[in-house]
Amino acid sequence: MSILKLLEERGFIEGKTHGQELADYLEQGQATCYIGFDPTASSLHVGSLVPIMSLAHMQRAGHLPIALVGGGTGLVGDPSGKTEMRKMLTNEMIEENVIGIKNQLSNFIDFQENKALLLNNADWLTKIKYIPFLRDIGRHFSVNRMVKAESYKMRLDSEEGLSFIEFNYMLLQAYDFLELYDRHECRIQMGGSDQWGNIVAGVELVRKMRQKTVFGITFPLITTSSGVKMGKTAKGAVWLDPKRTSPYEYYQFWINTDDTDVSRFMALFTFLPMDEIAEVNHLEGADLNYAKTVLAFEATRLAHGEESAVKAFHAASSMFGSRSIQKNIIPSSRIPRDADLSDNGSVPCTVMDAKIFQDGIPAFKLYHQIGLSGSGGDARRLIQQGGAYINEKRMESFDYLISEADFYNGEIVLRAGKKRYHKIKMDQN
């Protein structure tokens, strides 16, 4: 299967330029492609996984990926998708962020022996001379067309408006494409759908200045089935840096995937084969939950390594209980399939009569009853302050009724603060 068809099948592609010519070019041999990464933080987050995985797929298909860190454009700020001007970064902040981003990209992409390149556009953008740049590059851009671009329209319509420094961003990103074409014969730029105008500007600039056809590919904005932007949670972004989001928390993020998103997220965020992923659509009940476990394990393995994924898997099994995952569920996965993955006794456990939960019991009463709080009042305050969790989901109300619907395989896990856990098993007798 061609790399273009593979990316389309797995849900990566929303738009592309010169479709047939692009397909033909990718069939001719090793192609060079690039994606820009904004160094506004020292860590990327789950929302960056689609571009990261697309570069990894390109490398696996024998092509040369370039991860371009925007050390130069980061000094300007991309107005795309923003209603207000981004915070201006110093050179020192950007350099620190670049180091963190490279470490995370290296978990997905092999940079050894020039199998992939990590470049910084500060190497050329910070050396530009303004008047020559305006004469050589600026003359190819129409202001009338630029202000119609989606990346600028939102800002022009906002109360703050669009600053002149940000107005230059499209020219700089287009110039990146020209530089990468000249330096590495890079002919494909990929990015999010909000980058369409910037990517097309680069395609046209290379055509006008080098009389060569280059290509653009955009990715869709990934949202959950409920319409929430991928990677956004009540606690904020889910980071790839283990110091910001621990491997266990990262694992739990994927475990909490909605049923209707499991196969789609497997296609996007793992390298599992599509024929096995297609079978997930026919799973339900416990088997579908096991598929979520596979998704969580594989996603964590890619971001944090196999050892961290195994530890997160066993930690979750010890707290929530788990049966052996059958070999017919995503057989290609490297997830442990031990005979017994159930409770290892490390978490306090109470067995309670199922009748207690038929009508529900207020959360604050249960917390006090099992000893996670010293009194009902303490439990109320804990929940109101956001420190109480049920099955790793924060409780919003102290009088929330914990019922049979909260149990999974006859168990729930309550947490107080960061480290105090208590498991409750339901006695059906």
Side-chain angles (χ1 to χ4, degrees):
M1 180 185 294
S2 71
I3 181 60
L4 199 59
K5 288 183 178 179
L6 181 145
L7 291 174
E8 288 175 336
E9 181 184 32
R10 298 186 83 100
F12 282 90
I13 296 180
E14 177 171 295
K16 54 184 182 289
T17 66
H18 312 88
Q20 188 56 55
E21 291 177 75
L22 172 60
D24 293 341
Y25 169 63
L26 286 168
E27 292 295 317
Q28 292 172 9
Q30 187 185 69
T32 303
C33 60
Y34 93 94
I35 294 176
F37 293 91
D38 196 353
T40 51
S42 61
S43 174
L44 299 171
H45 51 75
V46 167
S48 304
L49 282 179
V50 166
I52 293 172
M53 290 295 290
S54 68
L55 285 182
H57 278 293
M58 292 292 284
Q59 185 176 62
R60 285 168 158 242
H63 302 297
L64 177 66
I66 297 175
L68 181 67
V69 180
T73 43
L75 294 169
V76 174
D78 182 2
S80 303
K82 299 293 180 181
T83 57
E84 57 187 24
M85 187 172 176
R86 295 177 187 237
K87 178 183 176 183
M88 298 292 284
L89 301 175
T90 65
N91 283 312
E92 293 74 19
M93 293 166 66
I94 288 175
E95 287 175 9
E96 181 182 343
N97 293 346
V98 168
I99 293 172
I101 289 171
K102 181 179 181 180
N103 291 337
Q104 289 150 27
L105 290 174
S106 297
N107 292 327
F108 299 84
I109 301 164
D110 184 4
F111 289 97
Q112 297 181 5
E113 300 175 356
N114 288 326
K115 294 175 184 175
L117 303 178
L118 181 76
L119 305 178
N120 188 337
N121 64 14
D123 292 344
W124 53 84
L125 292 183
T126 56
K127 299 172 184 176
I128 287 176
K129 294 182 178 180
Y130 191 55
I131 297 301
F133 182 78
L134 290 179
R135 288 175 59 86
D136 297 338
I137 306 300
R139 66 190 180 90
H140 294 292
F141 289 80
S142 162
V143 171
N144 289 0
R145 290 186 61 186
M146 289 175 68
V147 296
K148 294 177 182 177
E150 198 62 38
S151 56
Y152 288 153
K153 284 177 64 178
M154 182 182 295
R155 289 299 305 279
L156 287 168
D157 294 339
S158 70
E159 184 175 333
E160 183 174 329
L162 180 73
S163 71
F164 178 71
I165 188 173
E166 295 172 299
F167 188 65
N168 285 271
Y169 190 90
M170 181 180 288
L171 279 71
L172 297 178
Q173 185 168 328
Y175 185 69
D176 283 343
F177 205 170
L178 180 65
E179 279 287 328
L180 292 175
Y181 175 81
D182 288 344
R183 292 173 181 235
H184 302 283
E185 205 173 341
C186 177
R187 294 182 62 182
I188 302 174
Q189 181 183 175
M190 303 190 290
S193 57
D194 62 336
Q195 295 297 315
W196 177 257
N198 295 331
I199 290 174
V200 170
V203 169
E204 293 183 350
L205 182 64
V206 176
R207 177 181 60 80
K208 291 174 181 177
M209 297 195 68
R210 300 294 182 262
Q211 292 75 53
K212 294 291 185 180
T213 299
V214 294
F215 310 97
I217 296 174
T218 57
F219 313 125
L221 173 66
I222 306 299
T223 60
T224 65
S225 58
S226 60
V228 177
K229 188 176 180 180
M230 182 66 188
K232 296 294 184 181
T233 69
K235 293 190 288 185
V238 180
W239 300 97
L240 301 187
D241 182 351
K243 294 179 181 178
R244 295 191 182 205
T245 300
S246 72
Y248 178 75
E249 291 174 317
Y250 191 82
Y251 179 95
Q252 286 299 323
F253 167 77
W254 295 102
I255 282 286
N256 291 324
T257 297
D258 190 271
D259 291 356
T260 56
D261 290 328
V262 179
S263 62
R264 182 165 63 102
F265 286 0
M266 276 187 173
L268 287 167
F269 305 120
T270 78
F271 294 117
L272 296 168
M274 286 300 295
D275 58 341
E276 294 181 14
I277 293 173
E279 294 300 316
V280 172
N281 293 318
H282 305 298
L283 300 179
E284 55 186 22
D287 286 344
L288 183 57
N289 286 323
Y290 293 148
K292 291 183 185 181
T293 303
V294 172
L295 168 63
F297 176 83
E298 292 294 332
T300 305
R301 184 172 70 84
L302 286 174
H304 299 296
E306 187 140 0
E307 182 179 352
S308 292
V310 170
K311 286 182 179 178
F313 170 72
H314 283 299
S317 297
S318 72
M319 283 188 285
F320 299 104
S322 177
R323 297 176 184 172
S324 177
I325 298 174
Q326 298 302 309
K327 292 182 179 180
N328 65 318
I329 297 178
I330 315 293
S332 296
S333 173
R334 291 156 63 171
I335 193 168
R337 299 180 191 266
D338 302 330
D340 184 13
L341 301 170
S342 58
D343 186 7
N344 63 6
S346 62
V347 178
C349 180
T350 300
V351 178
M352 302 183 70
D353 194 324
K355 295 179 182 178
I356 296 174
F357 301 98
Q358 286 180 352
D359 296 324
I361 177 173
F364 75 93
K365 287 186 178 180
L366 187 58
Y367 263 69
H368 179 214
Q369 188 173 336
I370 62 176
L372 281 178
S373 62
S375 66
D378 288 343
R380 280 189 174 93
R381 285 188 289 274
L382 175 72
I383 297 170
Q384 288 172 333
Q385 293 168 5
Y389 296 79
I390 178 169
N391 297 333
E392 289 304 303
K393 292 183 179 180
R394 179 182 286 146
M395 273 189 272
E396 304 293 338
S397 173
F398 68 82
D399 57 357
Y400 173 78
L401 292 179
I402 297 177
S403 67
E404 293 175 336
D406 295 301
F407 282 75
Y408 171 59
N409 285 343
E411 299 177 351
I412 57 171
V413 174
L414 302 180
R415 172 157 68 95
K418 292 184 177 180
K419 297 182 179 180
R420 296 181 61 213
Y421 290 89
H422 198 105
K423 179 185 292 185
I424 297 176
K425 293 186 177 182
M426 197 159 48
D427 186 358
Q428 301 286 356
N429 297 326

